[in-house]
C-alpha cells in the first residue's frame, strides 16, 4: 500500500442537518460547509465553530464554496443568484453580487504574479493614494445591520480573479472582486443549446485562456478559449481593478453618508415638529411671516404668537440647543464625510483619466473621453455638496438668530431684564426680516412646458401635499375653508430637505450678484459649454447629482468588460466522451441530472511544470486526467482509467468488481483522491465505500499525448486502463458507512468524508508513517470512531500549536 494513502482518524461528528458542500482552506485549519438550510458554517480541525452565516432567504441552497488562496476569505454561491464574500477572521460579509440566474459554481483563481519586462507595464501604485488623501472619518452613526451586500468594503489580499459560473452557461470574471473583467456565454459555442449543461469553467495558469467542461447534446466536451486582451493587459488590469475597488468603496461610503444625512435631517425635522410646528400648523398659509414681521417691526404680538411664546426662557433654550446640535451634526456630515469622499472620488477618476492617456497599455481598457466625462460629473457633485453646505450654513445662522430673537422677545414681553449682548444690530434685524419672509415661500404651480417642473412621479407625497395646501389656502371659499393644519413644515426647512429628495429643487440656491464667475458664464455661452469646465446644474438635487455621477463612473468600466468579452476565441474542442440523452426534468434539477449522467471534475494548476490539470468522471465507471501544457509545444496529455478490472487483471476482492465513482478531487499535483462505492442490486444490501488514492506519477507511462488542434476526439485516440492494472498507482482504504462526498487538502494533509446521507462528517489525517497507520477503516465501527474522536482532541490542539 502506498504511503501517501496512509490515513489516521482524527474524529467524526454527527451533524445537526444535511451538509451539501465542503471546502478546506489551503493554508489554515479551517473547513467551510454549506447546509441544507442555506447556512454556511466555518469550523476548525478540532470541531470548534468559528462563525455561522445565515441563509440569505427562504428555500435558498448553497451551490458552491471557494477559499481565496492563503486568505480567510470565502466565496459562496447561492441558488437565488447571490454571491457573497465572507471573512472568517472578522466574521462579516465583505461584499456581494446579485445575478438573475442560479449559480452553478463560484471560485477564486490562484494569485496573480505579473512578470516584469522591458515592454510590460509595472503595477506599483498600490495604496499610493494614502500619501495624498486623508483617511475618511468613520460613520459612527450608521447601523452595520442596515448595510446591504453591495455596501461593504472590498477584500484586500493577493490579487486574483473571482469567476462566477451560471447554470444558464454565462460566465463572469471579476478582478479583485470589483472590476468586471469580461464575460462569455457558452451557449453561443455549442451545437445543441437545448441539450446543454455546464459543469465547470476554469482559468488557466497564465490567465489568458479558459477551459469549459460542458454537455453539448450527447457529447461531453472541453472547450479551450484563448483571450488576447487578458494576455496583453493583465498588469494594467490589476492597476485599473485596484482603482475600481477604491472607487466602489468610495461610492459605498457616499451612500452610507447619504443615509446618515437623511437620518440627521429627520432628527432636525422631528425636533422642529415636536416643539415648534404645532403653532405653525394652526395658522393659515402666509400668516406666520406676517405675525413675526409685525412683532419684529412694531413690537406687537397677536394672541396666537403670545400663546406660542408661553414657553419659558429655559425651556426654549433647551429646544434651541437640541435643534442646533442636530444641525451641527448635519454640517459635519456634509463638510467632512461627504466633501472628503467627493475629493477622493475625483482623485481616483483623475488617475484613471491619466491611465487612459497611456494608450500603449490602457487602450483596450479605458476610453479617455468617458473618463474625462466622469471627472466632470464628479466635479458637479462636489459643487452640489458645496451648495448644500452653504444652504445648511445659512439655515444654521438663521435658526440661531431666530432662537436668540425668540428668547429676546420672551424676556421683553415678560418684562424681564434683557442682557446687553442680546441687543440685535441693524444687519441682524435685516437678516431676521428676510428669514421671516422666506418662512413660507410661494410654491410655483407645476407646468408641463417647463423643464424644471415637478414631475408627479418623482415628487414625494410631502411636497405634493404642501403645494396642494398652499393652493387651497390662497384661494379659500365657503365650501373649502382654509385648513387649520397642513403636513408641510412652515419654517421652510425644505431649503435643505429638497436636496435629499430624488426630485428637482423647488427652491434653487439664490445667485449672489456679487460673484463674477456666474455672470461670466451667463455672458459667454461658449465658455459655459466648454468641456474643460465643470458644469453646475442648479436644478438638480444632491441625490440626482449623485446618481448622475454614478452613471458616468459605471460607463468608465464598460470598456474593459466589452474588450475582454469580445476577445474570447475558441481555439480547441476536445470531445471527452458520450453521455445519455438529457431529459427536461433532469435539466431543471441539478441533482437529477447528476444521477442520470455523473460528471464530476477537479482542477489543479501545477506551477513547476507549467501545466493545467483537469480530472473528470464520465459516468460512474470511467474517469480521465487531462494535462494541458502552457509552453510553446501546446501539448495535451490524457490518462483514461476505469474502476472495472481489465481482461488480464489478477484476482481481486469481491467488492472491487462492482465499484462506481462517487467523488474525486486533486490531493496535490501528483495524487488524485477518489471516493467509490459498490453497486449492488440486492434488496436491502448496504453498499460499501472505499477511499482511493491514485498516483498520477505512476500512471504517467500510460498516458497518451496529443497536439492541441481545433478538434480532438479522445474517445477515438485514447485507451482506457483499469486502475488495478497500473503498478503502484491505486491504493484502497475501506470506509464505514455509505460515503457520498469528499474534501481533501494536500497542503493541510487532511481529508473529510461525508456519510450517512451526508449527516456524518469524518476527518482523517493523511500521509502518516506506516508504523503509525491505523487499522483498516472497515474494521472500525462507528462507536470506535466516536471514542477515537474524543481522544484525538488533545493531539489536535498540539498540532495546531505546532502549525502556528
Amino acid at each position: 500500500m502506498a504511503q501517501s494513502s496512509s490515513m489516521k482518524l482524527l474524529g467524526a461528528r454527527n451533524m445537526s442537518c444535511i451538509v451539501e458542500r465542503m471546502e478546506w482552506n489551503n493554508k489554515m485549519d479551517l473547513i467551510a460547509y454549506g447546509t441544507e438550510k442555506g447556512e454556511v458554517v466555518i469550523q476548525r480541525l478540532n470541531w470548534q465553530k468559528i462563525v455561522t452565516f445565515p441563509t440569505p432567504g427562504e428555500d435558498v441552497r448553497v451551490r458552491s464554496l471557494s477559499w481565496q488562496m492563503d486568505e480567510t476569505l470565502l466565496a459562496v454561491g447561492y441558488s437565488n443568484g447571490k454571491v457573497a464574500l465572507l471573512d472568517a477572521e472578522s466574521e462579516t460579509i465583505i461584499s456581494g453580487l446579485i445575478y438573475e440566474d442560479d449559480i452553478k459554481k463560484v471560485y477564486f483563481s490562484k494569485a496573480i504574479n505579473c512578470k516584469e519586462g522591458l515592454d510590460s507595464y509595472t503595477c506599483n501604485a498600490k495604496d499610493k493614494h494614502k500619501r495624498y488623501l486623508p483617511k475618511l472619518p468613520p460613520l459612527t452613526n450608521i447601523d452595520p445591520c442596515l448595510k446591504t451586500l453591495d455596501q461593504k468594503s472590498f477584500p484586500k489580499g493577493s490579487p486574483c480573479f473571482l469567476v462566477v459560473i451560471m447554470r444558464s452557461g454565462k460566465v463572469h470574471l471579476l478582478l479583485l472582486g470589483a472590476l468586471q473583467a469580461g464575460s462569455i456565454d457558452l451557449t453561443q459555442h455549442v451545437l445543441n443549446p437545448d441539450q446543454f449543461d455546464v459543469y465547470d469553467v476554469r482559468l488557466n495558469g497564465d490567465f489568458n485562456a479558459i477551459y469549459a467542461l460542458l454537455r453539448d447534446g450527447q457529447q461531453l466536451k472541453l472547450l479551450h478559449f484563448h483571450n488576447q486582451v487578458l494576455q496583453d493587459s493583465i498588469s494594467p488590469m490589476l492597476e485599473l481593478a485596484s482603482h475600481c475597488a477604491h472607487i466602489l468603496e468610495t461610492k459605498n461610503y457616499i451612500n452610507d453618508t447619504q443615509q446618515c444625512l437623511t437620518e440627521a435631517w429627520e432628527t432636525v425635522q422631528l425636533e422642529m415638529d415636536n416643539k415648534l410646528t404645532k403653532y405653525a400648523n394652526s395658522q393659515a398659509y402666509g400668516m406666520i411671516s406676517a405675525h413675526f414681521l409685525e412683532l419684529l417691526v412694531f413690537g406687537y404680538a397677536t394672541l396666537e404668537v403670545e400663546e406660542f411664546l408661553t414657553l419659558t426662557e429655559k425651556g426654549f433654550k433647551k429646544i434651541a440647543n437640541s435643534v442646533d446640535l442636530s444641525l451641527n451634526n448635519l454640517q459635519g456630515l456634509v463638510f467632512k464625510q461627504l466633501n472628503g469622499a467627493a475629493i477622493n472620488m475625483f482623485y481616483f477618476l483623475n488617475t484613471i483619466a491619466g491611465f487612459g492617456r497611456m494608450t500603449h497599455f490602457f487602450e483596450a481598457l479605458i476610453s479617455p473621453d468617458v473618463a474625462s466625462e466622469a471627472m466632470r460629473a464628479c466635479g458637479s457633485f462636489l459643487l452640489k455638496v458645496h451648495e448644500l453646505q452653504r444652504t445648511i450654513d445659512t439655515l444654521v445662522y438663521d435658526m440661531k438668530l431666530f432662537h436668540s430673537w425668540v428668547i429676546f422677545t420672551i424676556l421683553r414681553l415678560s418684562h424681564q431684564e434683557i442682557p446687553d449682548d442680546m441687543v440685535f444690530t441693524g444687519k441682524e434685524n435685516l437678516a431676521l426680516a428676510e428669514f421671516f419672509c422666506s418662512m413660507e415661500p410661494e410654491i410655483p404651480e407645476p407646468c408641463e412646458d417647463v423643464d424644471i417642473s415637478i414631475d408627479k412621479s418623482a415628487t414625494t407625497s410631502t411636497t405634493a401635499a404642501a403645494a396642494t395646501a398652499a393652493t387651497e389656502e390662497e384661494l379659500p371659499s365657503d365650501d373649502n375653508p382654509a385648513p387649520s393644519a397642513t403636513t408641510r413644515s412652515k419654517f421652510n426647512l425644505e431649503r435643505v430637505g429638497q436636496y435629499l429628495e430624488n426630485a428637482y429643487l423647488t427652491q434653487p440656491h439664490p445667485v449672489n450678484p456679487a460673484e463674477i464667475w456666474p455672470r461670466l458664464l451667463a455672458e459667454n455661452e461658449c465658455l459655459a459649454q466648454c468641456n474643460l469646465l465643470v458644469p453646475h446644474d442648479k436644478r438638480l438635487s444632491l441625490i440626482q447629482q449623485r446618481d448622475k455621477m454614478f452613471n458616468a463612473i459605471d460607463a468608465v468600466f464598460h470598456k474593459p468588460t466589452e474588450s475582454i468579452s469580445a476577445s474570447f476565441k475558441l481555439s480547441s474542442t476536445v470531445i471527452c466522451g458520450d453521455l445519455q440523452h438529457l431529459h427536461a426534468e433532469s435539466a431543471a434539477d441539478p441533482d437529477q441530472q447528476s444521477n442520470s449522467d455523473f460528471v464530476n471534475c477537479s482542477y489543479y494548476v501545477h506551477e513547476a511544470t507549467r501545466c493545467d490539470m483537469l480530472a473528470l468522471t464520465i459516468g460512474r465507471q470511467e474517469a480521465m486526467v487531462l494535462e494541458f501544457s502552457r509552453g510553446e509545444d501546446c501539448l495535451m496529455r490524457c490518462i483514461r482509467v476505469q474502476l472495472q478490472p481489465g481482461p488480464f487483471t489478477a484476482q481481486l476482492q469481491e467488492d472491487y468488481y462492482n465499484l462506481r465513482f462517487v467523488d474525486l478531487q486533486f490531493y496535490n499535483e501528483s495524487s488524485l483522491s477518489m471516493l467509490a462505492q459498490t453497486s449492488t442490486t440486492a434488496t436491502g444490501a448496504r453498499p460499501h465505500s472505499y477511499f482511493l488514492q491514485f498516483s498520477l506519477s505512476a500512471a504517467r507511462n500510460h498516458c497518451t499525448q496529443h497536439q492541441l488542434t481545433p478538434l480532438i476526439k479522445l474517445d477515438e485516440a485514447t485507451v482506457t486502463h483499469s486502475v488495478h492494472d497500473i503498478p503502484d498507482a491505486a491504493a484502497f482504504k475501506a470506509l464505514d458507512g455509505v460515503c457520498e462526498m469528499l474534501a481533501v487538502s494536500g497542503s493541510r494533509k487532511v481529508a473529510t468524508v461525508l456519510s450517512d446521507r451526508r449527516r456524518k462528517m469524518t476527518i482523517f489525517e493523511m500521509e502518516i508513517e506506516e508504523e503509525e497507520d491505523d487499522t483498516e477503516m472497515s474494521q472500525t465501527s462507528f462507536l470506535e470512531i466516536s471514542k477515537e474522536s474524543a481522544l484525538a482532541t488533545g493531539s489536535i490542539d498540539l498540532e495546531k500549536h505546532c502549525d502556528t
Side-chain angles (χ1 to χ4, degrees):
M1 186 173 294
Q3 183 176 343
S4 61
S5 67
S6 301
M7 304 163 63
K8 178 182 178 181
L9 176 67
L10 290 181
R13 289 286 176 90
N14 288 317
M15 315 305 291
S16 59
C17 55
I18 296 176
V19 176
E20 296 188 339
R21 299 287 183 271
M22 294 188 304
E23 187 75 16
W24 275 101
N25 187 292
N26 70 306
K27 186 177 181 180
M28 290 160 278
D29 63 332
L30 297 175
I31 184 173
Y33 60 88
T35 68
E36 61 177 343
K37 300 178 181 178
E39 299 176 336
V40 176
V41 182
I42 300 177
Q43 70 178 30
R44 294 193 178 276
L45 191 64
N46 61 354
W47 307 100
Q48 176 191 356
K49 282 189 178 181
I50 303 299
V51 60
T52 299
F53 293 97
T55 176
E58 296 183 1
D59 299 327
V60 176
R61 301 173 63 181
V62 178
R63 295 297 193 202
S64 179
L65 299 171
S66 176
W67 289 97
Q68 186 179 2
M69 194 67 67
D70 299 335
E71 299 289 341
T72 60
L73 195 66
L74 179 71
V76 184
Y78 295 97
S79 59
N80 62 349
K82 289 186 178 181
V83 177
L85 303 184
L86 314 178
D87 190 357
E89 184 176 5
S90 61
E91 302 181 8
T92 57
I93 302 177
I94 296 297
S95 63
L97 302 166
I98 300 177
Y99 296 94
E100 297 180 354
D101 192 20
D102 190 358
I103 303 292
K104 174 67 177 183
K105 185 173 289 188
V106 56
Y107 69 89
F108 285 108
S109 71
K110 72 181 187 70
I112 302 174
N113 296 316
C114 298
K115 297 181 179 179
E116 298 184 5
L118 296 178
D119 58 342
S120 63
Y121 179 83
T122 303
C123 179
N124 57 2
K126 186 178 181 180
D127 296 336
K128 185 184 289 186
H129 66 280
K130 294 182 179 180
R131 304 180 189 175
Y132 314 108
L133 299 177
K135 186 177 181 180
L136 293 175
L139 296 170
T140 56
N141 295 335
I142 191 169
D143 186 0
C145 299
L146 298 179
K147 291 187 177 182
T148 58
L149 279 180
D150 57 348
Q151 290 180 313
K152 300 289 184 174
S153 300
F154 285 87
K156 304 296 189 299
S158 303
C160 62
F161 280 94
L162 176 65
V163 182
V164 182
I165 308 170
M166 320 300 296
R167 295 205 63 86
S168 61
K170 294 182 179 179
V171 183
H172 303 276
L173 278 67
L174 297 96
L175 193 53
L176 302 183
L179 178 64
Q180 295 282 347
S183 62
I184 184 174
D185 189 356
L186 297 175
T187 58
Q188 303 298 321
H189 302 275
V190 296
L191 302 177
N192 302 280
D194 56 334
Q195 291 282 313
F196 166 84
D197 192 14
V198 57
Y199 300 108
D200 201 358
V201 179
R202 293 287 176 167
L203 272 168
N204 75 337
D206 291 336
F207 306 102
N208 59 7
I210 63 172
Y211 308 100
L213 182 64
L214 50 84
R215 166 197 281 271
D216 186 2
Q218 293 180 286
Q219 290 182 327
L220 181 63
K221 292 183 178 181
L222 182 69
L223 306 183
H224 180 270
F225 295 90
H226 183 262
N227 194 298
Q228 192 64 36
V229 175
L230 287 176
Q231 178 174 327
D232 298 338
S233 305
I234 187 65
S235 186
M237 282 178 58
L238 283 176
E239 188 81 81
L240 182 61
S242 176
H243 284 76
C244 178
H246 294 317
I247 285 176
L248 293 180
E249 287 181 352
T250 308
K251 287 175 64 176
N252 294 338
Y253 187 86
I254 291 175
N255 289 333
D256 293 342
T257 306
Q258 174 63 43
Q259 182 179 343
C260 292
L261 275 174
T262 303
E263 294 175 356
W265 181 242
E266 290 174 352
T267 303
V268 174
Q269 289 181 311
L270 184 63
E271 294 291 341
M272 296 294 293
D273 288 340
N274 289 342
K275 309 298 191 304
L276 302 177
T277 55
K278 181 179 180 181
Y279 157 72
N281 289 335
S282 65
Q283 302 300 309
Y285 192 83
M287 297 304 297
I288 298 178
S289 298
H291 290 165
F292 282 155
L293 282 172
E294 189 177 21
L295 181 59
L296 175 66
V297 177
F298 302 108
Y300 174 76
T302 62
L303 181 61
E304 292 83 359
V305 175
E306 286 185 358
E307 292 179 355
F308 170 65
L309 298 177
T310 52
L311 287 172
T312 62
E313 176 191 359
K314 183 177 180 181
F316 200 89
K317 282 184 176 179
K318 184 178 180 181
I319 297 174
N321 289 334
S322 61
V323 174
D324 290 343
L325 182 62
S326 301
L327 289 174
N328 290 335
N329 185 26
L330 200 67
Q331 275 183 305
L333 286 172
V334 175
F335 179 72
K336 293 181 180 179
Q337 277 88 344
L338 202 58
N339 187 67
I343 294 174
N344 284 17
M345 183 71 78
F346 192 87
Y347 173 89
F348 296 132
L349 291 174
N350 186 37
T351 307
I352 290 179
F355 291 153
R357 299 183 184 276
M358 294 186 287
T359 57
H360 180 70
F361 299 110
F362 291 92
E363 183 177 8
L365 304 177
I366 301 174
S367 174
D369 294 337
V370 178
S372 298
E373 187 62 30
M375 284 181 58
R376 297 178 73 239
C378 183
S380 299
F381 177 75
L382 185 57
L383 290 178
K384 188 61 64 174
V385 170
H386 290 168
E387 180 183 315
L388 174 60
Q389 183 179 334
R390 291 194 299 268
T391 304
I392 295 176
D393 292 343
T394 302
L395 180 61
V396 170
Y397 175 78
D398 291 343
M399 293 304 297
K400 287 183 178 180
L401 196 61
F402 172 69
H403 293 154
S404 300
W405 176 80
V406 170
I407 295 174
F408 168 82
T409 305
I410 292 175
L411 294 178
R412 183 175 63 82
L413 293 178
S414 60
H415 305 288
Q416 300 183 34
E417 183 178 358
I418 300 176
D420 295 337
D421 57 353
M422 292 192 66
V423 178
F424 292 91
T425 63
K427 182 179 180 181
E428 291 174 335
N429 285 324
L430 181 61
L432 275 172
E434 293 178 352
F435 175 67
F436 292 152
C437 290
S438 64
M439 271 187 172
E440 296 168 310
E442 295 183 359
I443 305 297
E445 294 184 1
C447 180
E448 296 179 357
D449 299 333
V450 182
D451 291 339
I452 62 173
S453 62
I454 305 173
D455 187 3
K456 291 182 180 180
S457 62
T459 307
T460 60
S461 59
T462 304
T463 308
T468 304
T471 305
E472 292 175 352
E473 290 170 350
E474 289 177 359
L475 299 173
S477 63
D478 296 338
D479 298 333
N480 186 22
S484 60
T486 175
T487 58
R488 180 182 178 277
S489 174
K490 297 192 177 181
F491 288 89
N492 196 16
L493 299 180
E494 287 82 1
R495 285 184 298 169
V496 175
Q498 62 179 345
Y499 285 89
L500 306 179
E501 300 288 344
N502 189 16
Y504 287 115
L505 299 180
T506 58
Q507 303 177 54
H509 189 76
V511 178
N512 187 357
E515 294 181 356
I516 302 177
W517 182 251
R519 285 188 296 163
L520 184 63
L521 293 179
E523 297 171 359
N524 299 272
E525 184 178 356
C526 61
L527 187 62
Q529 297 179 354
C530 179
N531 292 332
L532 298 178
L533 302 180
V534 174
H536 184 194
D537 194 341
K538 292 184 175 295
R539 305 172 303 166
L540 300 182
S541 66
L542 181 70
I543 301 298
Q544 290 174 319
Q545 196 70 67
R546 180 203 63 180
D547 294 341
K548 188 175 181 180
M549 177 185 65
F550 285 176
N551 292 335
I553 292 174
D554 293 340
V556 174
F557 301 110
H558 285 167
K559 186 169 184 180
T561 302
E562 295 172 355
S563 300
I564 297 172
S565 300
S567 184
F568 281 111
K569 304 298 180 183
L570 181 61
S571 59
S572 182
T573 300
V574 181
I575 301 178
C576 301
D578 296 329
L579 300 174
Q580 298 178 8
H581 182 75
L582 181 63
H583 300 284
E585 59 273 10
S586 299
D589 190 344
D591 292 334
Q592 292 184 13
Q593 181 175 340
S594 62
N595 290 331
S596 61
D597 282 309
F598 181 73
V599 178
N600 202 350
C601 53
S602 181
Y603 183 74
Y604 192 90
V605 178
H606 192 194
E607 292 292 351
T609 59
R610 297 193 70 237
C611 285
D612 303 320
M613 307 170 66
L614 180 69
L616 63 137
T617 62
I618 308 174
R620 292 286 184 175
Q621 302 294 333
E622 191 175 348
M624 65 169 57
V625 180
L626 304 177
E627 293 186 15
F628 295 89
S629 174
R630 301 198 304 271
E632 298 179 356
D633 50 3
C634 297
L635 293 178
M636 181 190 71
R637 298 179 181 87
C638 176
I639 306 172
R640 196 165 188 145
V641 296
Q642 64 179 12
L643 289 176
Q644 294 295 326
F648 304 104
T649 304
Q651 186 68 26
L652 301 173
Q653 297 183 19
E654 182 180 354
D655 285 347
Y656 291 174
Y657 287 95
N658 55 356
L659 290 177
R660 63 172 189 164
F661 285 113
V662 175
D663 201 356
L664 85 170
Q665 197 173 36
F666 277 106
Y667 180 77
N668 52 30
E669 68 276 1
S670 59
S671 298
L672 181 66
S673 299
M674 303 178 184
L675 194 62
Q677 283 182 4
T678 58
S679 55
T680 176
T681 57
T683 305
R686 191 178 187 185
H688 299 161
S689 299
Y690 290 88
F691 180 88
L692 170 61
Q693 196 78 340
F694 187 74
S695 174
L696 298 176
S697 56
R700 196 169 300 275
N701 294 332
H702 295 75
C703 70
T704 57
Q705 188 168 280
H706 312 268
Q707 194 73 28
L708 205 58
T709 57
L711 179 62
I712 303 176
K713 297 182 179 180
L714 289 181
D715 51 350
E716 299 177 359
T718 57
V719 178
T720 304
H721 302 274
S722 173
V723 294
H724 307 283
D725 294 338
I726 303 177
D728 301 326
F732 288 81
K733 275 283 190 178
L735 304 176
D736 271 359
V738 181
C739 301
E740 301 181 24
M741 185 175 291
L742 178 69
V744 298
S745 174
S747 57
R748 295 296 306 167
K749 298 181 180 180
V750 289
T752 303
V753 176
L754 282 181
S755 59
D756 291 357
R757 298 182 179 180
R758 301 186 180 183
R759 288 183 175 272
K760 192 178 188 80
M761 182 182 296
T762 308
I763 301 178
F764 301 94
E765 182 182 0
M766 306 295 290
E767 302 183 36
I768 305 300
E769 297 295 333
E770 287 295 335
E771 57 270 14
E772 299 178 3
D773 192 13
D774 287 352
T775 59
E776 289 291 333
M777 293 299 301
S778 58
Q779 301 174 3
T780 306
S781 65
F782 277 121
L783 179 61
E784 293 171 339
I785 290 178
S786 302
K787 293 179 180 179
E788 293 181 5
S789 174
L791 295 175
T793 304
S795 61
I796 295 170
D797 294 336
L798 179 60
E799 179 186 352
K800 284 179 56 184
H801 178 71
C802 296
D803 290 341
T804 55

